[in-house]
Amino acid sequence: MPLRTIGLVIAAAFCLTAAGGDSPGHGSSYRHGYYLFLAGTSNGCEDCYIPLLLTGKSIEELEKNPTADDCVLITTFERDSIWHYDGLVPIGQSEINEAERKVRISNKTYRYQEIGASEVLSLLENPSGKIPISRPYLPARYPPGPELKQLIADFKTLQ
Protein backbone atom coordinates (compact mmCIF):
# COMPACT_ATOMS: atom_id res chain seq x y z
CA MET A 1 0.00 0.00 0.00
CA PRO A 2 1.48 3.43 -0.87
CA LEU A 3 2.74 5.51 2.07
CA ARG A 4 0.32 8.34 1.30
CA THR A 5 -2.65 5.97 1.59
CA ILE A 6 -1.35 4.59 4.88
CA GLY A 7 -0.92 8.15 6.15
CA LEU A 8 -4.49 9.04 5.18
CA VAL A 9 -5.86 5.94 6.87
CA ILE A 10 -3.92 6.74 10.05
CA ALA A 11 -5.08 10.37 9.94
CA ALA A 12 -8.71 9.28 9.47
CA ALA A 13 -8.46 6.82 12.35
CA PHE A 14 -6.91 9.51 14.54
CA CYS A 15 -9.67 11.99 13.70
CA LEU A 16 -12.36 9.42 14.43
CA THR A 17 -10.91 8.36 17.77
CA ALA A 18 -9.91 11.86 18.83
CA ALA A 19 -13.48 13.18 18.62
CA GLY A 20 -14.61 13.26 22.23
CA GLY A 21 -17.37 14.91 24.22
CA ASP A 22 -20.47 14.36 26.27
CA SER A 23 -23.66 12.56 25.35
CA PRO A 24 -26.78 14.59 24.55
CA GLY A 25 -29.25 15.78 27.11
CA HIS A 26 -26.91 15.67 30.13
CA GLY A 27 -26.03 11.99 30.20
CA SER A 28 -28.72 10.46 27.99
CA SER A 29 -27.72 8.16 25.18
CA TYR A 30 -28.11 8.27 21.42
CA ARG A 31 -30.96 5.97 20.39
CA HIS A 32 -32.05 6.99 16.88
CA GLY A 33 -30.20 7.03 13.56
CA TYR A 34 -31.34 8.80 10.39
CA TYR A 35 -29.89 8.92 6.91
CA LEU A 36 -30.28 12.37 5.39
CA PHE A 37 -30.89 12.76 1.67
CA LEU A 38 -30.48 16.16 0.04
CA ALA A 39 -33.93 17.58 -0.74
CA GLY A 40 -32.71 19.90 -3.50
CA THR A 41 -30.45 19.64 -6.51
CA SER A 42 -27.05 18.18 -5.73
CA ASN A 43 -23.68 19.36 -7.03
CA GLY A 44 -21.30 16.79 -8.51
CA CYS A 45 -21.05 13.70 -6.32
CA GLU A 46 -22.75 15.39 -3.36
CA ASP A 47 -25.30 12.54 -3.34
CA CYS A 48 -22.43 10.09 -2.67
CA TYR A 49 -21.80 11.66 0.75
CA ILE A 50 -24.86 10.77 2.79
CA PRO A 51 -25.10 12.31 6.26
CA LEU A 52 -26.01 10.14 9.22
CA LEU A 53 -27.74 11.93 12.10
CA LEU A 54 -27.71 10.30 15.55
CA THR A 55 -30.19 11.63 18.10
CA GLY A 56 -31.19 10.93 21.68
CA LYS A 57 -34.86 11.52 20.91
CA SER A 58 -36.77 10.79 17.72
CA ILE A 59 -37.01 13.67 15.26
CA GLU A 60 -40.73 13.77 16.00
CA GLU A 61 -39.94 14.28 19.70
CA LEU A 62 -37.31 16.92 18.85
CA GLU A 63 -39.91 18.89 16.90
CA LYS A 64 -42.15 19.05 19.98
CA ASN A 65 -39.32 20.10 22.30
CA PRO A 66 -38.91 23.91 22.65
CA THR A 67 -35.13 23.64 23.14
CA ALA A 68 -32.67 22.28 20.60
CA ASP A 69 -30.78 19.04 21.32
CA ASP A 70 -27.20 18.34 20.30
CA CYS A 71 -27.17 15.56 17.70
CA VAL A 72 -24.20 13.76 16.16
CA LEU A 73 -23.61 14.38 12.47
CA ILE A 74 -21.44 11.90 10.56
CA THR A 75 -20.85 12.05 6.81
CA THR A 76 -20.82 8.62 5.18
CA PHE A 77 -19.62 7.62 1.75
CA GLU A 78 -22.39 5.71 -0.01
CA ARG A 79 -23.65 4.54 3.42
CA ASP A 80 -20.66 2.15 3.34
CA SER A 81 -18.13 3.97 5.50
CA ILE A 82 -17.55 7.01 7.65
CA TRP A 83 -15.99 9.70 5.49
CA HIS A 84 -15.96 12.40 8.18
CA TYR A 85 -17.10 12.68 11.80
CA ASP A 86 -18.62 16.17 11.72
CA GLY A 87 -19.51 16.58 15.41
CA LEU A 88 -22.51 17.97 17.29
CA VAL A 89 -25.22 20.00 15.58
CA PRO A 90 -28.19 21.52 17.42
CA ILE A 91 -31.55 20.33 16.11
CA GLY A 92 -34.75 21.97 17.30
CA GLN A 93 -38.26 22.88 16.22
CA SER A 94 -37.16 25.47 13.68
CA GLU A 95 -35.02 22.92 11.78
CA ILE A 96 -37.70 20.23 11.47
CA ASN A 97 -40.69 19.88 9.14
CA GLU A 98 -42.26 16.60 10.27
CA ALA A 99 -45.12 16.77 7.75
CA GLU A 100 -42.61 16.70 4.86
CA ARG A 101 -40.08 14.54 6.79
CA LYS A 102 -37.40 17.20 6.33
CA VAL A 103 -34.68 18.61 8.54
CA ARG A 104 -32.44 21.62 7.93
CA ILE A 105 -28.74 21.50 8.84
CA SER A 106 -26.12 24.07 7.82
CA ASN A 107 -28.38 25.84 5.33
CA LYS A 108 -29.24 22.59 3.53
CA THR A 109 -32.57 20.79 3.64
CA TYR A 110 -32.61 17.01 3.83
CA ARG A 111 -35.28 14.34 3.74
CA TYR A 112 -34.74 11.99 6.69
CA GLN A 113 -35.19 8.23 6.91
CA GLU A 114 -34.83 6.40 10.22
CA ILE A 115 -32.59 3.33 10.22
CA GLY A 116 -32.24 0.52 12.72
CA ALA A 117 -29.59 0.12 15.39
CA SER A 118 -27.94 -2.74 13.48
CA GLU A 119 -27.30 -0.52 10.45
CA VAL A 120 -25.91 2.27 12.66
CA LEU A 121 -23.67 -0.25 14.44
CA SER A 122 -22.43 -1.62 11.12
CA LEU A 123 -21.05 1.81 10.25
CA LEU A 124 -19.70 2.65 13.70
CA GLU A 125 -17.95 -0.70 14.13
CA ASN A 126 -16.54 -0.74 10.58
CA PRO A 127 -15.85 2.94 9.82
CA SER A 128 -13.58 2.15 6.85
CA GLY A 129 -16.28 0.13 5.08
CA LYS A 130 -15.64 -1.96 1.98
CA ILE A 131 -15.20 0.73 -0.67
CA PRO A 132 -11.63 2.12 -0.70
CA ILE A 133 -11.71 5.92 -0.62
CA SER A 134 -9.44 8.80 0.33
CA ARG A 135 -10.29 10.67 3.50
CA PRO A 136 -8.58 14.07 3.42
CA TYR A 137 -8.21 16.11 6.57
CA LEU A 138 -11.19 18.42 7.02
CA PRO A 139 -11.27 21.10 9.72
CA ALA A 140 -14.01 20.77 12.31
CA ARG A 141 -17.11 22.87 11.66
CA TYR A 142 -18.97 21.75 14.77
CA PRO A 143 -18.08 20.97 18.39
CA PRO A 144 -16.76 17.43 18.85
CA GLY A 145 -19.20 14.67 19.73
CA PRO A 146 -18.81 11.54 21.82
CA GLU A 147 -16.20 8.94 20.91
CA LEU A 148 -17.23 6.17 18.53
CA LYS A 149 -16.90 3.60 21.34
CA GLN A 150 -19.55 5.50 23.34
CA LEU A 151 -21.90 5.67 20.33
CA ILE A 152 -21.37 1.93 19.76
CA ALA A 153 -22.24 1.25 23.42
CA ASP A 154 -25.39 3.39 23.12
CA PHE A 155 -26.66 1.52 20.05
CA LYS A 156 -25.71 -1.93 21.38
CA THR A 157 -28.21 -1.42 24.19
CA LEU A 158 -30.97 -1.26 21.56
CA GLN A 159 -30.34 -4.69 20.08
Side-chain angles (χ1 to χ4, degrees):
M1 190 180 317
L3 286 177
R4 183 167 193 264
T5 302
I6 292 170
L8 289 172
V9 169
I10 291 169
F14 177 78
C15 288
L16 290 172
T17 57
D22 295 327
S23 291
H26 308 289
S28 63
S29 62
Y30 291 90
R31 307 184 61 76
H32 300 273
Y34 299 89
Y35 278 129
L36 306 178
F37 301 96
L38 200 57
T41 304
S42 63
N43 295 319
C45 194
E46 193 172 24
D47 285 339
C48 300
Y49 300 94
I50 299 167
L52 172 65
L53 185 69
L54 305 178
T55 65
K57 301 173 188 162
S58 69
I59 287 182
E60 293 77 17
E61 291 172 311
L62 291 174
E63 186 186 36
K64 294 176 177 90
N65 192 356
T67 59
D69 281 23
D70 283 337
C71 303
V72 173
L73 184 65
I74 296 172
T75 302
T76 73
F77 179 74
E78 297 283 348
R79 295 179 284 180
D80 170 72
S81 63
I82 294 176
W83 186 70
H84 188 258
Y85 187 128
D86 299 290
L88 296 176
V89 294
I91 304 288
Q93 290 176 333
S94 62
E95 288 82 33
I96 300 169
N97 181 335
E98 186 182 349
E100 295 181 16
R101 296 191 56 80
K102 291 182 180 176
V103 63
R104 188 162 181 77
I105 300 172
S106 298
N107 297 321
K108 291 186 180 184
T109 302
Y110 298 93
R111 292 176 293 107
Y112 60 87
Q113 174 187 349
E114 188 161 15
I115 60 172
S118 61
E119 194 167 353
V120 173
L121 280 169
S122 177
L123 271 168
L124 298 178
E125 293 178 327
N126 304 297
S128 295
K130 295 176 182 164
I131 302 170
I133 60 169
S134 173
R135 291 174 177 86
Y137 170 77
L138 296 173
R141 291 185 356 183
Y142 306 108
E147 293 182 26
L148 287 182
K149 66 182 178 182
Q150 180 59 51
L151 294 172
I152 290 169
D154 287 351
F155 279 92
K156 280 195 175 196
T157 64
L158 302 176
Q159 287 192 318

mmCIF file of all heavy atoms in Angstrom, residues 104-131:
data_model
loop_
_atom_site.group_PDB
_atom_site.id
_atom_site.type_symbol
_atom_site.label_atom_id
_atom_site.label_comp_id
_atom_site.label_asym_id
_atom_site.label_seq_id
_atom_site.Cartn_x
_atom_site.Cartn_y
_atom_site.Cartn_z
ATOM 1 N N ARG A 104 -33.381 20.648 8.495
ATOM 2 C CA ARG A 104 -32.441 21.623 7.930
ATOM 3 C C ARG A 104 -31.196 21.661 8.799
ATOM 4 O O ARG A 104 -31.261 21.872 10.004
ATOM 5 C CB ARG A 104 -33.098 22.993 7.857
ATOM 6 C CG ARG A 104 -32.285 24.027 7.121
ATOM 7 C CD ARG A 104 -33.190 25.186 6.729
ATOM 8 N NE ARG A 104 -32.479 26.192 5.998
ATOM 9 C CZ ARG A 104 -32.133 26.099 4.717
ATOM 10 N NH1 ARG A 104 -32.446 25.022 4.045
ATOM 11 N NH2 ARG A 104 -31.487 27.063 4.118
ATOM 12 N N ILE A 105 -30.031 21.457 8.155
ATOM 13 C CA ILE A 105 -28.742 21.495 8.836
ATOM 14 C C ILE A 105 -27.780 22.282 7.960
ATOM 15 O O ILE A 105 -27.646 21.999 6.762
ATOM 16 C CB ILE A 105 -28.183 20.079 9.081
ATOM 17 C CG1 ILE A 105 -29.143 19.276 9.953
ATOM 18 C CG2 ILE A 105 -26.795 20.143 9.708
ATOM 19 C CD1 ILE A 105 -28.774 17.816 10.103
ATOM 20 N N SER A 106 -27.127 23.269 8.538
ATOM 21 C CA SER A 106 -26.120 24.067 7.818
ATOM 22 C C SER A 106 -26.634 24.605 6.489
ATOM 23 O O SER A 106 -26.014 24.436 5.443
ATOM 24 C CB SER A 106 -24.851 23.242 7.574
ATOM 25 O OG SER A 106 -24.275 22.877 8.785
ATOM 26 N N ASN A 107 -27.794 25.210 6.516
ATOM 27 C CA ASN A 107 -28.383 25.840 5.334
ATOM 28 C C ASN A 107 -28.706 24.874 4.204
ATOM 29 O O ASN A 107 -28.829 25.279 3.056
ATOM 30 C CB ASN A 107 -27.487 26.976 4.812
ATOM 31 C CG ASN A 107 -27.347 28.081 5.831
ATOM 32 O OD1 ASN A 107 -28.301 28.421 6.516
ATOM 33 N ND2 ASN A 107 -26.146 28.609 5.949
ATOM 34 N N LYS A 108 -28.819 23.576 4.519
ATOM 35 C CA LYS A 108 -29.243 22.589 3.530
ATOM 36 C C LYS A 108 -30.433 21.840 4.105
ATOM 37 O O LYS A 108 -30.483 21.548 5.293
ATOM 38 C CB LYS A 108 -28.119 21.594 3.211
ATOM 39 C CG LYS A 108 -26.982 22.219 2.451
ATOM 40 C CD LYS A 108 -25.975 21.172 2.042
ATOM 41 C CE LYS A 108 -24.844 21.843 1.292
ATOM 42 N NZ LYS A 108 -23.882 20.870 0.792
ATOM 43 N N THR A 109 -31.385 21.535 3.231
ATOM 44 C CA THR A 109 -32.565 20.795 3.643
ATOM 45 C C THR A 109 -32.439 19.353 3.169
ATOM 46 O O THR A 109 -32.099 19.097 2.020
ATOM 47 C CB THR A 109 -33.839 21.435 3.073
ATOM 48 O OG1 THR A 109 -33.908 22.797 3.529
ATOM 49 C CG2 THR A 109 -35.091 20.703 3.521
ATOM 50 N N TYR A 110 -32.720 18.435 4.102
ATOM 51 C CA TYR A 110 -32.613 17.005 3.832
ATOM 52 C C TYR A 110 -33.927 16.307 4.143
ATOM 53 O O TYR A 110 -34.627 16.683 5.073
ATOM 54 C CB TYR A 110 -31.544 16.360 4.729
ATOM 55 C CG TYR A 110 -30.159 16.890 4.528
ATOM 56 C CD1 TYR A 110 -29.675 17.937 5.302
ATOM 57 C CD2 TYR A 110 -29.310 16.322 3.583
ATOM 58 C CE1 TYR A 110 -28.383 18.409 5.142
ATOM 59 C CE2 TYR A 110 -28.013 16.789 3.411
ATOM 60 C CZ TYR A 110 -27.557 17.835 4.193
ATOM 61 O OH TYR A 110 -26.285 18.293 4.030
ATOM 62 N N ARG A 111 -34.230 15.271 3.376
ATOM 63 C CA ARG A 111 -35.284 14.343 3.742
ATOM 64 C C ARG A 111 -34.637 13.335 4.689
ATOM 65 O O ARG A 111 -33.497 12.936 4.480
ATOM 66 C CB ARG A 111 -35.836 13.606 2.517
ATOM 67 C CG ARG A 111 -36.607 14.505 1.563
ATOM 68 C CD ARG A 111 -37.065 13.755 0.310
ATOM 69 N NE ARG A 111 -35.912 13.369 -0.522
ATOM 70 C CZ ARG A 111 -35.444 12.129 -0.653
ATOM 71 N NH1 ARG A 111 -36.024 11.116 -0.047
ATOM 72 N NH2 ARG A 111 -34.411 11.877 -1.418
ATOM 73 N N TYR A 112 -35.328 12.934 5.743
ATOM 74 C CA TYR A 112 -34.737 11.991 6.686
ATOM 75 C C TYR A 112 -35.446 10.648 6.636
ATOM 76 O O TYR A 112 -36.634 10.562 6.369
ATOM 77 C CB TYR A 112 -34.710 12.545 8.108
ATOM 78 C CG TYR A 112 -36.052 12.887 8.716
ATOM 79 C CD1 TYR A 112 -36.800 11.933 9.392
ATOM 80 C CD2 TYR A 112 -36.556 14.184 8.640
ATOM 81 C CE1 TYR A 112 -38.019 12.261 9.980
ATOM 82 C CE2 TYR A 112 -37.772 14.517 9.220
ATOM 83 C CZ TYR A 112 -38.499 13.550 9.881
ATOM 84 O OH TYR A 112 -39.699 13.869 10.450
ATOM 85 N N GLN A 113 -34.664 9.590 6.870
ATOM 86 C CA GLN A 113 -35.185 8.233 6.906
ATOM 87 C C GLN A 113 -34.549 7.527 8.096
ATOM 88 O O GLN A 113 -33.323 7.406 8.175
ATOM 89 C CB GLN A 113 -34.827 7.493 5.621
ATOM 90 C CG GLN A 113 -35.199 6.034 5.631
ATOM 91 C CD GLN A 113 -34.669 5.302 4.403
ATOM 92 O OE1 GLN A 113 -34.192 5.898 3.454
ATOM 93 N NE2 GLN A 113 -34.767 3.989 4.440
ATOM 94 N N GLU A 114 -35.372 7.084 9.040
ATOM 95 C CA GLU A 114 -34.829 6.400 10.216
ATOM 96 C C GLU A 114 -34.308 5.026 9.832
ATOM 97 O O GLU A 114 -34.884 4.341 8.993
ATOM 98 C CB GLU A 114 -35.878 6.280 11.326
ATOM 99 C CG GLU A 114 -35.273 5.758 12.619
ATOM 100 C CD GLU A 114 -36.106 6.028 13.853
ATOM 101 O OE1 GLU A 114 -37.291 6.370 13.727
ATOM 102 O OE2 GLU A 114 -35.553 5.907 14.956
ATOM 103 N N ILE A 115 -33.184 4.651 10.451
ATOM 104 C CA ILE A 115 -32.592 3.334 10.222
ATOM 105 C C ILE A 115 -32.464 2.626 11.562
ATOM 106 O O ILE A 115 -32.472 3.258 12.619
ATOM 107 C CB ILE A 115 -31.227 3.424 9.506
ATOM 108 C CG1 ILE A 115 -30.213 4.224 10.328
ATOM 109 C CG2 ILE A 115 -31.395 4.022 8.117
ATOM 110 C CD1 ILE A 115 -28.802 4.197 9.772
ATOM 111 N N GLY A 116 -32.325 1.319 11.512
ATOM 112 C CA GLY A 116 -32.240 0.523 12.722
ATOM 113 C C GLY A 116 -30.865 0.568 13.369
ATOM 114 O O GLY A 116 -29.861 0.946 12.752
ATOM 115 N N ALA A 117 -30.835 0.136 14.625
ATOM 116 C CA ALA A 117 -29.593 0.122 15.394
ATOM 117 C C ALA A 117 -28.531 -0.749 14.729
ATOM 118 O O ALA A 117 -27.346 -0.417 14.749
ATOM 119 C CB ALA A 117 -29.858 -0.361 16.813
ATOM 120 N N SER A 118 -28.926 -1.855 14.105
ATOM 121 C CA SER A 118 -27.943 -2.744 13.481
ATOM 122 C C SER A 118 -27.225 -2.059 12.322
ATOM 123 O O SER A 118 -26.027 -2.250 12.126
ATOM 124 C CB SER A 118 -28.597 -4.045 13.015
ATOM 125 O OG SER A 118 -29.589 -3.783 12.050
ATOM 126 N N GLU A 119 -27.937 -1.237 11.562
ATOM 127 C CA GLU A 119 -27.302 -0.517 10.450
ATOM 128 C C GLU A 119 -26.362 0.576 10.967
ATOM 129 O O GLU A 119 -25.278 0.782 10.435
ATOM 130 C CB GLU A 119 -28.367 0.070 9.520
ATOM 131 C CG GLU A 119 -27.793 0.526 8.197
ATOM 132 C CD GLU A 119 -28.850 0.808 7.148
ATOM 133 O OE1 GLU A 119 -30.044 0.537 7.370
ATOM 134 O OE2 GLU A 119 -28.463 1.315 6.080
ATOM 135 N N VAL A 120 -26.773 1.259 12.038
ATOM 136 C CA VAL A 120 -25.907 2.266 12.655
ATOM 137 C C VAL A 120 -24.642 1.585 13.186
ATOM 138 O O VAL A 120 -23.523 2.046 12.937
ATOM 139 C CB VAL A 120 -26.640 3.012 13.796
ATOM 140 C CG1 VAL A 120 -25.674 3.925 14.546
ATOM 141 C CG2 VAL A 120 -27.819 3.810 13.259
ATOM 142 N N LEU A 121 -24.812 0.475 13.887
ATOM 143 C CA LEU A 121 -23.665 -0.247 14.440
ATOM 144 C C LEU A 121 -22.721 -0.741 13.352
ATOM 145 O O LEU A 121 -21.503 -0.734 13.528
ATOM 146 C CB LEU A 121 -24.140 -1.421 15.288
ATOM 147 C CG LEU A 121 -24.581 -1.057 16.692
ATOM 148 C CD1 LEU A 121 -25.281 -2.231 17.359
ATOM 149 C CD2 LEU A 121 -23.406 -0.588 17.519
ATOM 150 N N SER A 122 -23.260 -1.163 12.229
ATOM 151 C CA SER A 122 -22.428 -1.624 11.124
ATOM 152 C C SER A 122 -21.445 -0.537 10.690
ATOM 153 O O SER A 122 -20.269 -0.809 10.446
ATOM 154 C CB SER A 122 -23.312 -2.048 9.947
ATOM 155 O OG SER A 122 -22.536 -2.429 8.855
ATOM 156 N N LEU A 123 -21.924 0.687 10.613
ATOM 157 C CA LEU A 123 -21.045 1.810 10.247
ATOM 158 C C LEU A 123 -20.065 2.159 11.362
ATOM 159 O O LEU A 123 -18.882 2.373 11.111
ATOM 160 C CB LEU A 123 -21.873 3.052 9.925
ATOM 161 C CG LEU A 123 -22.317 3.208 8.491
ATOM 162 C CD1 LEU A 123 -23.358 4.300 8.375
ATOM 163 C CD2 LEU A 123 -21.147 3.498 7.595
ATOM 164 N N LEU A 124 -20.558 2.232 12.587
ATOM 165 C CA LEU A 124 -19.704 2.646 13.701
ATOM 166 C C LEU A 124 -18.613 1.625 14.000
ATOM 167 O O LEU A 124 -17.495 1.993 14.366
ATOM 168 C CB LEU A 124 -20.553 2.891 14.952
ATOM 169 C CG LEU A 124 -21.602 4.000 14.871
ATOM 170 C CD1 LEU A 124 -22.389 4.079 16.167
ATOM 171 C CD2 LEU A 124 -20.970 5.338 14.527
ATOM 172 N N GLU A 125 -18.929 0.344 13.838
ATOM 173 C CA GLU A 125 -17.952 -0.700 14.134
ATOM 174 C C GLU A 125 -16.995 -0.960 12.982
ATOM 175 O O GLU A 125 -15.918 -1.522 13.182
ATOM 176 C CB GLU A 125 -18.671 -1.998 14.523
ATOM 177 C CG GLU A 125 -19.416 -1.881 15.836
ATOM 178 C CD GLU A 125 -20.190 -3.133 16.222
ATOM 179 O OE1 GLU A 125 -20.691 -3.843 15.320
ATOM 180 O OE2 GLU A 125 -20.308 -3.385 17.425
ATOM 181 N N ASN A 126 -17.379 -0.564 11.778
ATOM 182 C CA ASN A 126 -16.543 -0.742 10.581
ATOM 183 C C ASN A 126 -16.453 0.583 9.829
ATOM 184 O O ASN A 126 -16.952 0.700 8.707
ATOM 185 C CB ASN A 126 -17.133 -1.830 9.675
ATOM 186 C CG ASN A 126 -17.300 -3.131 10.397
ATOM 187 O OD1 ASN A 126 -16.327 -3.724 10.837
ATOM 188 N ND2 ASN A 126 -18.545 -3.570 10.548
ATOM 189 N N PRO A 127 -15.824 1.607 10.422
ATOM 190 C CA PRO A 127 -15.847 2.944 9.821
ATOM 191 C C PRO A 127 -15.153 3.042 8.461
ATOM 192 O O PRO A 127 -15.456 3.945 7.696
ATOM 193 C CB PRO A 127 -15.148 3.820 10.865
ATOM 194 C CG PRO A 127 -14.360 2.891 11.701
ATOM 195 C CD PRO A 127 -15.081 1.580 11.679
ATOM 196 N N SER A 128 -14.259 2.107 8.146
ATOM 197 C CA SER A 128 -13.575 2.153 6.846
ATOM 198 C C SER A 128 -14.398 1.527 5.736
ATOM 199 O O SER A 128 -14.105 1.740 4.559
ATOM 200 C CB SER A 128 -12.217 1.461 6.930
ATOM 201 O OG SER A 128 -11.378 2.168 7.799
ATOM 202 N N GLY A 129 -15.411 0.731 6.079
ATOM 203 C CA GLY A 129 -16.285 0.128 5.082
ATOM 204 C C GLY A 129 -15.549 -0.784 4.124
ATOM 205 O O GLY A 129 -14.433 -1.236 4.382
ATOM 206 N N LYS A 130 -16.186 -1.054 2.986
ATOM 207 C CA LYS A 130 -15.636 -1.965 1.979
ATOM 208 C C LYS A 130 -15.135 -1.242 0.737
ATOM 209 O O LYS A 130 -14.351 -1.793 -0.021
ATOM 210 C CB LYS A 130 -16.696 -2.987 1.579
ATOM 211 C CG LYS A 130 -17.093 -3.899 2.724
ATOM 212 C CD LYS A 130 -18.199 -4.837 2.323
ATOM 213 C CE LYS A 130 -18.587 -5.686 3.532
ATOM 214 N NZ LYS A 130 -19.853 -6.337 3.365
ATOM 215 N N ILE A 131 -15.601 -0.029 0.512
ATOM 216 C CA ILE A 131 -15.203 0.734 -0.673
ATOM 217 C C ILE A 131 -13.968 1.557 -0.322
ATOM 218 O O ILE A 131 -14.028 2.399 0.575
ATOM 219 C CB ILE A 131 -16.336 1.674 -1.147
ATOM 220 C CG1 ILE A 131 -17.613 0.883 -1.454
ATOM 221 C CG2 ILE A 131 -15.896 2.468 -2.368
ATOM 222 C CD1 ILE A 131 -18.839 1.756 -1.691
#
